[in-house]
Amino acid sequence: MAEKKEKLFDQFPAVTTEELKAKVEADLKGAPFDKKLVWRTNEGFNVQPMYRAEDIADFKTTDSLPGEYPFVRGTRDNNDWLTRQEIISETPAEANKVALEVLTKGVTSLGFTIDQPTAETVETLLKGIDLAAVEINFSCCQAKALELAKVLVKYLEKNNATESFRGSIDYNPLRGALRHGRQIPADAVENAKALIETVAGVKNLRVIGVDSVIFNTAGAYIYQELGYALAWGAEWMTALTEAGVSAKEAGCRIKFNMGISSNYFMELAKFRAARMLWAQIVKQYNPECDCACKMMAHAATSKFNQTIYDAHVNLLRSQTEAMSAALAGVDSITVVPFDTPYKTPDAFSERIARNQQFLLKEESHLDKVVDPAGGSYYVETLTVSIAKEAWKLFIDVVEKGGFFKLVNEGAVQAAINESNEKRHADMARRKEILLGTNQYPNFNEKAADKIEKDECNCCCGKNGENDPAKSLSMKRQASDFETLRLATEHAANRPKVFMLTIGNLAMRLARAQFSSNFFGCAGYEIIDNIGFDTVQAGIDAAMEKKADIVVLCSSDDEYAEFAPEAFKALNGKAEFVVAGAPACTEELQAKGITNFISVRSNVLETLQAFNAKLLK
């Protein structure tokens, strides 16, 4: 007789969401649940602290399987994404040598940049590469994309590789418009059609690029990147089908190159939402089969959040970013090397970047499970929420005349630049954190000597066609703090900040740590102390150390006594700062004390003001 298994959960009564909320509010001592625990995203919707089965009960996103329309759960029945590396070399021969080497180290997708797309160049680049085993992706000057396509097709025909070849040519005539404010070339659609006709015999060669990586690099929010990418792709579908290209052929020739920010779960949800929405968009063009509705998505980790200081933290950022994309089921991933902001990546940083993906595959086995987030109440809700916000933006773009029109007018660039400015402002106030830059910096790190390249190292050219007013801002989020800190490095004197710790033990230590991190963001020398018995003893010690800034660290209640005494004893020999925002602030200000730092301070502006006073 089979053993009867006891169902333990049957012994407990079901608990409703209302009962759970009531219990939470009781623990919060009556504070409102929504006010304390529900947070508003930059994407325009609220996120709850908990989700239950009832939250996704009506969702259609849970009805399909991986590989089934609308592909929210993936376009394949496996999750073996391609590991891509961009080949950076001076000559085609050198690029081929590097490519052959990295192919022995697990890379399954290559990215080449071609200046002169001649038969000789392509032959040299691809010499010895097994085209059936490796995905090949090309980027070149947009005016030469058609020439490259013709040369590549001839090469593939010559080597009987038209059936086995997988890859792309990144034809993106909007790059100049987005990056430099130029107008989209008038013959963009004509060239796109010619490209598709040229590669008709190579089934798995995608030649139309939707490059929303540039939005991610410019600091766009997730819903913006997705909404604009969908509008971009839809514009190509409309333009190509109107030009006589079949919906199936158009859909199967478009490739999405998308960025990945550090918002882990939302990025995971973004790619799921992207596949779902794109499938429904292409479906409206009545393609011959649903294969045209499958989004081909390459993902690249973000450059916007990379930093020059504490650069190895970039590895942590890109690792979680790559994990988001991997769990979301993208087709291929590029992990941007950690040293990219300040130099051309070297062999070490490229190896680490490759290994980050191999860790996800070989150690974590993320390639063994398709859509592991499927059915998660949280992720499914995020998928639908992001899809709704991106769809609103998509509809808005369509109603205003389409993506190409808005790019030519500079409206897309203006919207993303506004987000860029907002994120820099949030960075200045520590509403957004980059570890090692605006929070918990390495006080004694130097970076000036390791910077080998300018911020902009692209082949942008400088001519009269460029319109800065219609250009995307490519300022990394850390750039303002880095400029501040580099100024400190280049100054003749490095300011010294002395922590005058006195009074309440817990408060003085906490405020000394806060203040050390605050001023450390400018690269100042920090002199911390355990504590002083008297204010005068602290001032004497500060003068002995030749401090430029003296920060009084104590409790709010004690500031009324200690601050005036310390200010008077210092007598203008150094800048005087009170750590905190005590109730007696106005009284202290009336006595001439003007510098206060707290969690509400604009860290960047405060430090810029001190730099202006202290650096010589």
Side-chain angles (χ1 to χ4, degrees), residues 276-292:
M276 176 180 68
L277 294 177
W278 179 243
Q280 294 176 73
I281 288 171
V282 176
K283 192 76 168 178
Q284 301 309 304
Y285 293 86
N286 299 313
E288 297 174 25
C289 70
D290 285 348
C291 60

Side-chain angles (χ1 to χ4, degrees), residues 232-278:
W232 189 344
E235 186 108 359
W236 275 126
M237 287 296 300
T238 299
L240 291 170
T241 52
E242 288 180 351
V245 179
S246 72
K248 176 185 176 183
E249 187 72 359
C252 290
R253 297 298 180 182
I254 295 174
K255 182 171 185 175
F256 286 79
N257 299 296
M258 306 182 75
I260 326 166
S261 75
S262 292
N263 200 327
Y264 180 79
F265 284 107
M266 287 200 188
E267 285 293 347
L268 198 167
K270 178 189 77 177
F271 288 107
R272 302 176 86 247
R275 287 193 298 266
M276 176 180 68
L277 294 177
W278 179 243

Side-chain angles (χ1 to χ4, degrees), residues 143-157:
K144 298 180 180 180
L146 182 57
E147 182 183 348
L148 172 59
K150 292 177 180 178
V151 170
L152 179 61
V153 169
K154 287 183 180 179
Y155 176 85
L156 297 177
E157 290 174 345

Side-chain angles (χ1 to χ4, degrees), residues 64-109:
S64 63
L65 294 173
E68 292 183 355
Y69 180 88
F71 309 112
V72 64
R73 302 203 62 196
T75 58
R76 314 183 302 277
D77 60 2
N78 66 76
N79 196 34
D80 190 14
W81 73 89
L82 299 175
T83 301
R84 178 165 160 180
Q85 179 169 329
E86 307 302 323
I87 306 301
I88 305 173
S89 298
E90 295 293 331
T91 66
E94 183 182 338
N96 174 258
K97 180 180 178 181
V98 174
L100 290 174
E101 180 182 356
V102 300
L103 288 176
T104 66
K105 302 180 186 302
V107 167
T108 50
S109 176

Side-chain angles (χ1 to χ4, degrees), residues 19 51 99 112 137 150 189 194 201 226 232 240-241 260 276 283 330 340 346 356 398 407 419 500 531 537 548-549 604:
E19 289 173 324
Y51 289 93
F112 291 111
N137 303 278
K150 292 177 180 178
V189 176
L226 179 53
W232 189 344
L240 291 170
T241 52
I260 326 166
M276 176 180 68
K283 192 76 168 178
V330 300
T340 299
D346 56 26
Q356 287 180 258
V398 172
V407 168
S419 297
L500 201 170
D548 298 286
I549 301 173
L604 180 66

